[in-house]
Amino acid sequence: MSDTGPSPRSATPRTVLISGASVAGPALAYWLHRYGFAVTVVERAPELRTGGYKVDIRGAAIEVAERMGILEDIQRASTDMQTGAYVNEDGKRIATLPADIFGARVGRDDEIMRGDLARILHERTRADVEYLFGDSITSLTSTTSATSVTSTTERADGHREVDGVPDFDGVPDFDGADGIDDVDVTFEHAAPRRFDLVVGADGLHSTVRRLAFGPEKQFVRHLGAYISAFSMINELGLDREELYHALPGRLICAYSSAGDPAAKGLLVFRSPRLSYDHRDPQQQLTLLAAAFDGVGVEGSPGGGWGQVPRMLEAAREAGDFYFDGMQLVEMGRWSHGRVALLGDAAHCPSPASGQGTGMALVGAYVLAGELAAAGRAPEEAFGRYEKEMRGYVAVNHALARKFARDMTADTRRQIRFRHLMMRILPYMPWKNLIAKKIAEDVQRAAHAITLKDYPVPNRAAGPAPAAARPTYAA
């Protein structure tokens, strides 16, 4: 990365509102602050979310982390997983392999708990970036140089209202014309503000996407499975080990990571699209219990690992319970006017890909770099950002479709064959070649982008102090 070149910062720093304080949002905030933008991050949760499951950092994402100066932090917080094993109904290990083979990791690839990565990014940005926790965007209004406005507001039924008129066709109303100067934003709690740019980095169920692009159902593609993750007591005494138990159409996993006295549970099951409120954990727990009803219960005809009933109980008690579909987000474009999308909000690859976190880090680097290079022409920056990212996203979406099918087996016969292959692999003379082949598809997806070098100011040009940032009334 070049350390020379003109600073993109003008006399008045450009203001950017980012929705979402998980990974993509703070990563973008880091780069934008470095380029001299004044950044505000709004997050619906009342505080930083430190829970979640383990996530992989591979390929281009490792290079981005190194450029950010957080790679050593990631390495120190590594899960340090040692082995992975399949177990039978009694919990006996029937096939064991190194964890890196399970995770398709090679070289400097690493794995970290999502909450630890969020903490690292927050610590790197909190002194320079304004964070608004416990709040959310309720409307976006584009203000044009001709003083006309186009206002979009979310309705209770999930559709938008455009200038007070219901919009049911999903046709974008942010026209992307050069005449759009600012975006007026209203919040659930904070006073209205005006920003030069708004970025939705708020995940699969993005509020910004719904407001600026239309209802979620237009863009989300269900991959035929659901996943749940949660913390639980480490009754199994796991030490940097992950255990898997497979049933037709279902996958059960328990693991522990370095430095965490608790364990994590992960449950996957095949299902057509289900109807539920993604913000209602009780509905989700009911669906999860139904999917694993009778599994692991003594005398049940379906059999299954005896840990499953305890895992379902742990899910009900967990403070970090997560449940969602394996879903892709597919969109024709990721920006309208001065509003853009990043990470899962733009192109969620689903947990099946194992690439969502890495793609968020890479996307943040590219979007910020293009905005800095484009100066005061953000529409050009958004176009170049999409051009750089589209091929990378396409390869990872293809990976997600493949792995969503492969995560759960169709029959017990398929499961027995997988166990056999895993048992004999350590004794094969060409085992290293086979391990490389297993990781090949993942590594191709992780490296499916060549990172550009964006000019960085000679000095760390930061945004104006928070007290000096202008706040506009609607």
Side-chain angles (χ1 to χ4, degrees):
M1 178 185 297
S2 172
D3 288 326
T4 61
S7 167
R9 187 179 184 186
S10 60
T12 302
R14 306 207 68 188
T15 57
V16 182
L17 174 65
I18 301 170
S19 178
S22 179
V23 172
L28 178 64
Y30 168 87
W31 287 111
L32 288 179
H33 165 72
R34 188 168 178 180
Y35 291 129
F37 291 77
V39 185
T40 298
V41 178
V42 61
E43 167 58 47
R44 179 183 297 276
E47 58 188 10
L48 189 68
R49 295 177 178 174
T50 56
Y53 44 80
K54 53 191 177 72
V55 296
D56 285 289
I57 313 294
R58 306 185 183 94
I62 287 287
E63 188 174 346
V64 169
E66 188 169 42
R67 295 184 183 193
M68 293 178 75
I70 63 170
L71 183 56
E72 290 185 1
D73 295 326
I74 290 172
Q75 292 168 341
R76 282 192 292 269
S78 173
T79 61
D80 193 31
M81 301 300 293
Q82 298 296 301
T83 60
Y86 272 89
V87 299
N88 63 14
E89 296 180 358
D90 298 323
K92 180 181 178 181
R93 291 159 179 77
I94 55 179
T96 301
L97 289 173
D100 281 351
I101 292 181
F102 270 86
R105 291 182 291 273
V106 299
R108 294 193 300 169
D109 293 357
D110 216 326
E111 185 182 61
I112 186 173
M113 299 304 293
R114 190 212 62 82
D116 287 338
L117 181 57
R119 174 185 51 77
I120 289 169
L121 292 169
H122 182 250
E123 288 175 352
R124 286 296 180 110
T125 56
R126 64 184 180 185
D128 306 306
V129 171
E130 178 187 18
Y131 278 87
L132 302 176
F133 285 98
D135 212 340
S136 183
I137 297 170
T138 56
S139 72
L140 301 171
T141 303
S142 60
T143 305
T144 70
S145 56
T147 70
S148 63
V149 297
T150 300
S151 174
T152 66
T153 305
E154 181 183 357
R155 289 159 45 105
D157 62 6
H159 292 285
R160 298 178 300 162
E161 284 190 358
V162 181
D163 291 341
V165 178
D167 172 33
F168 297 102
D169 61 8
V171 176
D173 293 284
F174 283 88
D175 61 14
D178 290 341
I180 295 178
D181 294 329
D182 307 289
V183 183
D184 285 341
V185 181
T186 62
F187 302 90
E188 288 185 4
H189 304 295
R193 304 258 303 262
R194 177 173 292 174
F195 297 88
D196 293 309
L197 305 171
V198 174
V199 178
D202 43 356
L204 173 63
H205 304 293
S206 169
T207 295
V208 171
R209 187 183 63 226
R210 191 161 57 241
L211 289 172
F213 295 77
E216 179 177 299
K217 63 183 179 181
Q218 296 183 74
F219 312 113
V220 174
R221 313 289 178 248
H222 184 56
L223 295 180
Y226 285 83
I227 184 170
S228 179
F230 45 87
S231 293
M232 62 184 195
I233 297 173
N234 191 0
E235 294 180 345
L236 296 170
L238 300 175
D239 179 13
R240 295 166 297 162
E241 180 182 23
E242 47 197 327
L243 302 182
Y244 291 90
H245 180 77
L247 292 169
R250 286 167 289 191
L251 181 66
I252 300 135
C253 174
Y255 65 89
S256 74
S257 59
D260 188 351
K264 299 287 184 182
L266 189 145
L267 299 172
V268 179
F269 64 94
R270 285 190 190 174
S271 171
R273 186 185 296 275
L274 300 171
S275 178
Y276 65 95
D277 184 347
H278 73 267
R279 293 180 184 166
D280 186 340
Q282 292 306 313
Q283 289 186 29
Q284 299 160 24
L285 285 162
T286 298
L287 294 172
L288 185 66
F292 288 87
D293 184 36
V295 175
V297 177
E298 188 174 354
S300 171
W305 191 15
Q307 287 293 318
V308 172
R310 283 190 283 275
M311 293 177 71
L312 291 173
E313 182 62 31
R316 288 188 285 270
E317 297 174 353
D320 59 354
F321 173 74
Y322 167 86
F323 179 95
D324 216 328
M326 297 278 197
Q327 299 177 107
L328 300 181
V329 170
E330 297 179 326
M331 303 184 69
R333 56 177 174 167
W334 304 330
S335 67
H336 293 154
R338 299 298 175 92
V339 180
L341 300 175
L342 174 67
D344 281 357
H347 46 66
C348 177
S350 90
S353 73
Q355 286 288 97
T357 299
M359 292 171 71
L361 291 174
V362 171
Y365 171 80
V366 173
L367 176 55
E370 294 296 349
L371 284 169
R376 303 192 74 84
E379 290 85 356
E380 294 179 14
F382 292 155
R384 291 198 295 264
Y385 153 64
E386 291 201 28
K387 183 179 179 180
E388 290 295 313
M389 290 288 293
R390 281 290 180 181
Y392 178 52
V393 168
V395 172
N396 281 283
H397 275 193
L399 182 73
R401 292 187 186 95
K402 177 181 184 297
F403 282 180
R405 294 190 300 268
D406 293 347
M407 285 181 75
T408 54
D410 292 322
T411 66
R412 292 185 182 274
R413 182 177 180 179
Q414 288 180 343
I415 294 170
R416 287 194 294 270
F417 180 75
R418 289 185 184 183
H419 291 173
L420 175 62
M421 291 297 99
M422 290 179 63
R423 281 200 299 268
I424 65 176
L425 179 59
Y427 306 102
M428 288 181 165
W430 51 87
K431 63 183 178 182
N432 292 333
L433 182 62
I434 294 175
K436 182 179 179 181
K437 182 64 177 177
I438 291 172
E440 192 172 84
D441 288 344
V442 175
Q443 289 298 317
R444 183 184 303 112
H447 290 86
I449 186 171
T450 300
L451 298 178
K452 292 168 63 174
D453 290 335
Y454 297 102
V456 177
N458 288 323
R459 63 185 180 88
R469 297 177 193 168
T471 300
Y472 299 85

